[in-house]
Amino acid sequence: MTFPRDRLIVALDVPSVEEAEALIETLGDDVGVYKIGIELLFSGGFALAQELARRECPVFIDAKLLDIEATVERATAAIARIGAAFLTVHALDKKTLAAAVRGRGDSPLKLLGVTVLTNLSPCDVIEQGIDHPLAELVLHRAKLAKEAGFDGVIASGHEAAQIRKALGPDFLIVTPGVRPQGSDTQDQARAVTPRSAIEAGADYLVVGRPITRAADPRAAASAIVAEIAAALSR
Ligand code: C5P
C-alpha cells in the first residue's frame, strides 16, 4: 500500500448497480477498494464486481460465507475466478476456514475472517449463548483464521491492538464501524474514528454511510483519507 487512500475501502451498500456506479464515478481515485456486500450482490452486484476486477480495480466481496465445507469451497472458488481481491468468511470454525482456503487455491484472493460483527455489543454476544468476553472471542476467532491460512480478519478498532500484538505485523486487520468524530454511529456498537483505528493497528478501514450518505461523498472520503494520512505520520 503506497498511499493513504489505498487503505480506504468504501462499502457500496446501495440498492442498484446504477447507484453504485454513480458513487464510483463520484469518488474515483479517492478510494483504494470498493466493497460489494449482500444488498448489492443480490441486486446485480456480482456482475459489477466482475467488471471492476476486469478494470483492475480492487474489489472486495463481502459475502460473509458460512455453510457446509463443499459449499464454502465452491463459492470461494467462484469468487476467486472473477479476480476479486478480498472475500469475507465467518471465522467460527476450522472446517469453514479450511474449505475457503482450499477454494481460493493458488489465486491471489485475500481471505478475511469475520470475528464478531461490529454492530454487536457484549450483551449481544451473551445473548448468543457465548460465555467468553467479546474481546477474547474476537482474538480466539482471529487465531483460528490465522492458523487456517487466512490473510487477515475483520475486527473493530476496539480489538485491533490486541490482534496486532498477538498475531504480528503481517496479519491484515480490516476495520469497519468507522465514524469520523461527532458523526452518527447508527447501528454500529463498536465504532471508532479513522484515527483511532489506524493507531490501533488497522491496515484498512471500511466506511459506508459516512461517505455514501454524505451530502458530498467525495469531500467525506477525502477528509477520511486525510485523517488516515495524519494518523500514519504520527
Ligand atoms: O455504513 P457503515 O460504515 O456502517 O458500513 C459498514 C460496512 O461494513 C457494511 O457494509 C457492513 O456490512 C460491513 N461490516 C461491518 N461489520 C463487520 C463486517 C462487515 O459493519 N464486522
Side-chain angles (χ1 to χ4, degrees), residues 4-148:
R5 67 165 184 257
D6 296 334
R7 297 174 182 265
L8 177 61
I9 299 173
V10 169
L12 295 171
D13 294 329
V14 289
S16 70
V17 169
E18 292 68 32
E19 284 166 79
E21 280 174 334
L23 269 169
I24 293 169
E25 177 78 24
T26 303
L27 294 169
D29 292 342
D30 279 354
V31 172
V33 181
Y34 286 103
K35 181 173 89 65
I36 301 187
I38 52 180
E39 177 184 3
L40 191 57
L41 281 173
F42 288 120
S43 317
F46 200 67
L48 175 64
Q50 283 173 298
E51 173 57 20
L52 289 175
R54 199 189 55 75
R55 287 192 239 148
E56 296 187 1
C57 172
V59 60
F60 180 138
I61 304 289
D62 191 9
K64 297 192 181 74
L65 297 180
L66 179 62
D67 210 312
I68 63 166
E69 290 143 276
T71 304
V72 169
E73 181 175 340
R74 293 166 70 88
T76 303
I79 291 162
R81 273 199 298 278
I82 70 160
F86 298 93
L87 167 68
T88 49
V89 177
H90 279 288
L92 295 190
D93 62 89
K94 287 185 180 177
K95 288 180 176 176
T96 303
L97 295 165
V101 170
R102 286 196 300 277
R104 177 245 310 263
D106 56 9
S107 76
L109 175 67
K110 288 197 187 323
L111 294 172
L112 302 171
V114 178
T115 55
V116 175
L117 292 171
T118 46
N119 68 321
L120 299 180
S121 68
C123 293
D124 296 318
V125 170
I126 292 168
E127 193 184 69
Q128 290 181 348
I130 297 170
D131 279 342
H132 297 287
L134 193 152
E136 273 179 29
L137 183 63
V138 168
L139 190 56
H140 172 70
R141 291 177 177 172
K143 285 179 179 165
L144 282 182
K146 188 168 186 203
E147 283 161 18

Side-chain angles (χ1 to χ4, degrees), residues 147-170:
E147 283 161 18
F150 268 48
D151 300 282
V153 281
I154 309 288
S156 93
H158 292 270
E159 301 95 35
Q162 62 160 6
I163 295 171
R164 179 63 66 228
K165 191 165 168 231
L167 300 182
D170 300 329

